[in-house]
Amino acid sequence: MTTSPSAPASTPAPTSLPTLLVLDAEPLPRLGRLTGRARVEHADATTLAERLPHADVLLVWDFTSHAVREAWPGGGPRPRWVHTASAGVDHLMCPELAASDTVVTNARGVFDRPIAEYVAALVLAMAKDLPTTLRLQGERIWRHRESTRVAGTRACVVGSGPIGRAVVSTLEALGISTALVGRAARPGVHGPEDLDRLLAGADWVVAAAPLTDDTRGMFDARRFALIRPSARFVNVGRGPLVVEDDLVEALTARRIGGAALDVLNHEPLAEDSALWEVPGLIVSPHMSGDTIGWRDDLGTQFVELFESWAAGGPLANVVDKERGYVPGH
């Protein structure tokens, strides 16, 4: 079942306060504005299943947990609305939730600009070889080198949602010519049929797509073979967009110029993972969208959505549960 992005969710009965269930993570969200307007309850992975039937709304504050996907198929009523404090929804979607009447919303809009800034920082760091500069400084070695000019280079950004579009505008401000690839071709956006051609001509490849059946593993050995040896690859979308073994092989054999992963198949990355020492690879702990105050922004966004829902108004950021993202971009 697909929910229209402009359709309002069912409103709570006026005679009682709606029950808001929060799947907790520290620090907890600030929900003071909802005092006297909602009955707030809390759950973790061990108690979520038993408390789901009693909730009108579920706030997935712990967006790294798979507890919703595991608990949802159980018996009893289910919340009429689920909001996740993240852009991706793959951690909570299951067939039973996708087929239900429950409205799902996400945190679209909070992370766009911070992630775009982070991508720009990675591009500049790799172009100017900052990792080597910092390493040599730590070793007290003075070694003059030449670096790459980013203005005039070309980027292929995969994922045409708000994050991908923010990446495009930020890279273009650096003088980088960009091509944006989405699920379907439309003005300003290339379709999947153009992806291989654009990869072959890009100096920078940025993955910012949602995780769906179509995008899982899309960056594999075949696609890395298309990328020119001097080009760099950046993933700020979802870890499983990339076949990590294929990326490691491409980097080790120097078939691509470098890569940066802010999202990985398994998080947190194990201390003994080989990814820590792959030549030319920058690994960061899923932090590209997390700027100072980001949790407050997420909490404020949810409270504003809740106020609209409680008043019978439409919900923004409604996810197409079959596609796995908010349509219309």
Side-chain angles (χ1 to χ4, degrees):
M1 175 178 176
T2 300
T3 304
S4 167
S6 60
S10 300
T11 56
T15 56
S16 62
L17 294 178
T19 298
L20 166 61
L21 181 62
V22 182
L23 180 60
D24 286 345
E26 294 292 340
L28 296 176
R30 298 180 180 179
L31 302 175
R33 277 169 54 181
L34 301 184
T35 300
R37 305 167 70 181
R39 182 186 304 106
V40 180
E41 299 182 355
H42 297 269
D44 58 20
T46 65
T47 60
L48 181 63
E50 66 183 76
R51 296 183 182 178
L52 269 181
H54 310 291
D56 297 294
V57 180
L58 172 64
L59 168 58
V60 185
W61 192 247
D62 185 359
F63 52 81
T64 66
S65 171
H66 293 165
V68 175
R69 193 164 62 194
E70 296 164 0
W72 195 272
R78 289 293 180 262
R80 290 168 282 170
W81 168 33
V82 173
H83 177 79
T84 179
S86 61
V89 299
D90 51 282
H91 60 289
L92 58 85
M93 293 304 297
C94 62
E96 292 81 2
L97 175 53
S100 73
D101 292 331
T102 296
V103 176
V104 175
T105 57
N106 71 355
R108 181 188 188 200
V110 172
F111 301 106
D112 308 350
R113 183 55 57 188
I115 291 178
E117 291 175 355
Y118 199 88
V119 169
L122 289 170
V123 166
L124 290 170
M126 288 188 281
K128 305 307 177 184
D129 197 21
L130 293 184
T132 300
T133 296
L134 295 173
R135 177 178 59 80
L136 293 176
Q137 179 181 350
E139 298 172 3
R140 297 174 179 255
I141 296 175
W142 181 277
R143 181 181 300 161
H144 179 269
R145 304 175 325 280
E146 296 178 344
S147 64
T148 301
R149 178 185 298 182
V150 298
T153 60
R154 292 181 288 182
C156 174
V157 179
V158 183
S160 59
I163 293 173
R165 295 201 304 271
V167 169
V168 165
S169 65
T170 303
L171 295 183
E172 288 183 342
L174 295 174
I176 300 174
S177 174
T178 62
L180 184 62
V181 179
R183 187 180 64 89
R186 56 193 183 279
V189 179
H190 294 268
E193 63 277 6
D194 292 336
L195 177 57
D196 288 357
R197 173 179 61 82
L198 293 170
L199 290 178
D203 301 292
W204 309 98
V205 177
V206 180
L211 180 61
T212 67
D213 290 341
D214 292 332
T215 63
R216 185 181 296 274
M218 67 183 303
F219 291 100
D220 56 7
R222 186 186 74 81
R223 287 247 161 84
F224 288 124
L226 295 173
I227 298 175
R228 60 177 62 179
S230 61
R232 274 81 164 217
F233 173 80
V234 176
N235 186 15
V236 290
R238 304 297 287 172
L241 298 178
V242 176
V243 180
E244 289 177 353
D245 288 345
D246 291 352
L247 174 60
V248 169
E249 199 279 332
L251 286 167
T252 303
R254 300 181 184 272
R255 281 196 279 273
I256 64 173
L261 300 178
D262 184 57
V263 287
L264 298 114
N265 280 267
H266 302 287
E267 299 178 6
L269 187 62
E271 185 177 350
D272 61 354
S273 172
L275 289 175
W276 292 113
E277 298 181 355
V278 174
L281 177 62
I282 298 172
V283 173
S284 56
H286 204 150
M287 58 179 286
S288 60
D290 301 348
T291 54
I292 295 171
W294 66 283
R295 291 183 179 87
D296 290 339
D297 293 340
L298 289 172
T300 298
Q301 180 188 55
F302 172 74
V303 168
E304 292 174 351
L305 287 172
F306 187 95
E307 290 172 340
S308 178
W309 175 82
L315 281 171
N317 294 3
V318 174
V319 173
D320 182 318
K321 293 186 290 184
E322 296 298 331
R323 296 181 183 179
Y325 54 87
V326 178
H329 50 65

